[in-house]
Amino acid sequence: MRSIARFILVNILGWELENNFPKGLKKYVVIAAPHTSWLDFPIAILSRIASGTMIHFIGKRSLFIFPFGFIFKALGGIPVNREQSNNLVNSIIAVFNSNEEFILALSPEGTRKKVTKWKTGFYYIAKGANVPIVMATLDFGKKKIKISKPHYITSNKDHDFDLFHAFFEGVRGKKSELS
């Protein structure tokens, strides 16, 4: 399955994978950006399968109903109710703490719409679970997925976010006007 996914991603769709997800690390948060289109999902899933790394994702609960719910769950999806005011960050930290291995991918924008400021949940999840953050581009301009080395959260949130934003500088989403 891994070689098929890589063949589709690289040879058919023309994407390039730069680096790979960390192999010796059992727990981390992946932030993938920019998130501007539904096409981000199949590209991300293909790259995940091609890398041989099981990476989970969260999605709105309505995506996990019949007929596609079982597919999203099989792909590593975790349904969340975004309409309730529950403490999602603490819930995800608990998932990290209760699993020996767990990798979760999130969009720092939290939406496919244009945003001026990223959500901070991914940061507090990584901090609370004491796991690093790995950055992954979804650059439709260059058809390139670039994966960073793990970044361990420091005591300086502004510095960490400057580093995150610098990694994604110039990356174009599918809908570049939303990047």
Side-chain angles (χ1 to χ4, degrees), residues 156-168:
N156 185 336
K157 180 181 163 193
D158 291 335
H159 170 73
D160 290 334
F161 270 78
D162 287 345
L163 184 129
F164 300 147
H165 289 296
F167 185 82
F168 293 100

Side-chain angles (χ1 to χ4, degrees), residues 76-90:
I78 302 168
V80 295
N81 186 350
R82 298 188 328 183
E83 300 184 1
Q84 283 185 347
S85 174
N86 51 13
N87 197 336
L88 185 58
V89 169
N90 285 339

Side-chain angles (χ1 to χ4, degrees), residues 73-127:
K73 285 181 184 174
L75 290 172
I78 302 168
V80 295
N81 186 350
R82 298 188 328 183
E83 300 184 1
Q84 283 185 347
S85 174
N86 51 13
N87 197 336
L88 185 58
V89 169
N90 285 339
S91 297
I92 294 174
I93 291 169
V95 172
F96 269 100
N97 291 337
S98 65
N99 286 282
E100 197 171 307
E101 295 184 20
F102 189 73
I103 303 167
L104 178 68
L106 298 166
S107 160
E109 300 102 332
T111 181
R112 291 183 304 234
K113 298 176 181 138
K114 177 82 172 167
V115 298
T116 56
K117 190 174 179 184
W118 283 358
K119 304 277 186 179
T120 57
F122 74 90
Y123 182 83
Y124 290 108
I125 291 166
K127 189 172 185 172

